[in-house]
Amino acid sequence: EAGVVQSPRYKIIEKKQPVAFWCNPISGHNTLYWYLQNLGQGPELLIRYENEEAVDDSQLPKDRFSAERLKGVDSTLKIQPAELGDSAVYLCASSSRYNEQFFGPGTRLTVL
Amino acid sequence: QQQVKQSPQSLIVQKGGISIINCAYENTAFDYFPWYQQFPGKGPALLIAIRPDVSEKKEGRFTISFNKSAKQFSLHIMDSQPGDSATYFCAAKGNFGNEKLTFGTGTRLTIIP
């Protein structure tokens, strides 16, 4: 069974530029999560989707961050414009409802 | 507000020894407590998990001890091996309908020969 796929794995951009991350969850998993992991810290939830619906986006900085999960499968997380403090690893995870979350390898973002 | 406190931040254990990582939580609504293992460049992977209706769960060399009254839980790695060198995160989650995982700050474990 294929795991959670994320791309790109690494991204380096100048501040104020836009950036997008893509996630393909495990087949059949209705729940998709985006997490932010700062260096030396545990992951922090940004947004959770149940199928197409964002059911928890309370931690998503909506002034610059946006996410979508069209058709309830793949998801994209966007930052526009990026700031220096956005440098981190962005993790995607998926689960079938109420079950174990499986994480992807993450996208390491560096904002210069 | 940090709801899950984890210690130590780093830990060095000799091969064959016991590694112990501790976590404490504040929210009494938490009812699922997993431990995740993360290698460099990889996402966290579930290692073992416990619910508060039991005080201990063992899977191979990994054991979770849970103290509900103290709101504490710990991970014990018996016969620690160099391959166990990784960062370990404890986490906690509420009951059905509240799927948010709250993670601790992580423990970098190094097993030396």
Side-chain angles (χ1 to χ4, degrees):
Chain A
E1 177 182 89
V4 176
V5 179
Q6 291 188 247
S7 69
R9 291 296 315 279
Y10 305 91
K11 189 73 176 179
I12 301 174
I13 61 172
E14 299 282 335
K15 64 180 181 181
K16 300 185 180 180
Q17 294 300 306
V19 64
F21 314 123
W22 176 80
C23 174
N24 179 242
I26 292 172
S27 178
H29 282 190
N30 297 325
T31 309
L32 183 145
Y33 313 77
W34 283 103
Y35 287 87
L36 166 70
Q37 186 174 25
N38 286 305
L39 186 64
Q41 299 294 316
E44 300 174 40
L45 182 69
L46 289 172
I47 189 168
R48 173 169 68 95
Y49 282 93
E50 292 290 345
N51 299 304
E52 304 88 358
E53 183 182 1
V55 296
D56 184 357
D57 63 356
S58 58
Q59 303 302 309
L60 189 72
K62 298 181 184 63
D63 57 337
R64 297 184 300 107
F65 286 65
S66 64
E68 60 182 12
R69 191 184 184 197
L70 301 176
K71 301 181 181 180
V73 181
D74 296 359
S75 178
T76 302
L77 177 69
K78 298 179 182 177
I79 308 175
Q80 183 171 9
E83 297 179 352
L84 294 177
D86 296 332
S87 295
V89 175
Y90 292 83
L91 293 163
C92 180
S94 70
S95 70
S96 53
R97 201 168 189 202
Y98 304 141
N99 291 324
E100 174 188 350
Q101 295 183 29
F102 292 85
F103 284 81
T107 296
R108 181 177 295 277
L109 174 66
T110 302
V111 182
L112 303 176
Chain B
Q1 179 185 11
Q2 184 184 3
Q3 296 193 56
V4 181
K5 296 181 179 180
Q6 183 172 346
S7 64
Q9 187 174 3
S10 62
L11 181 63
I12 299 174
V13 175
Q14 280 203 310
K15 178 182 175 182
I18 303 173
S19 304
I20 302 174
I21 305 171
N22 301 299
C23 282
Y25 63 98
E26 301 167 2
N27 189 342
T28 55
F30 289 148
D31 75 342
Y32 175 72
F33 302 90
W35 284 89
Y36 283 82
Q37 180 187 56
Q38 186 175 28
F39 293 104
K42 304 289 186 182
L46 180 66
L47 192 61
I48 186 173
I50 197 169
R51 293 196 181 273
D53 52 344
V54 296
S55 60
E56 186 175 281
K57 182 174 182 180
K58 183 176 181 180
E59 290 184 1
R61 297 185 293 111
F62 301 92
T63 300
I64 299 179
S65 296
F66 187 83
N67 185 329
K68 187 175 181 178
S69 61
K71 293 188 286 186
Q72 295 175 347
F73 57 111
S74 61
L75 175 69
H76 296 235
I77 306 175
M78 311 299 287
D79 187 26
S80 298
Q81 299 296 312
D84 297 331
S85 296
T87 300
Y88 292 80
F89 294 94
C90 62
K93 185 167 73 73
N95 54 13
F96 292 158
N98 182 6
E99 300 304 302
K100 178 181 176 180
L101 269 175
T102 299
F103 284 83
T105 51
T107 296
R108 178 173 289 186
L109 174 65
T110 303
I111 307 301
I112 56 175

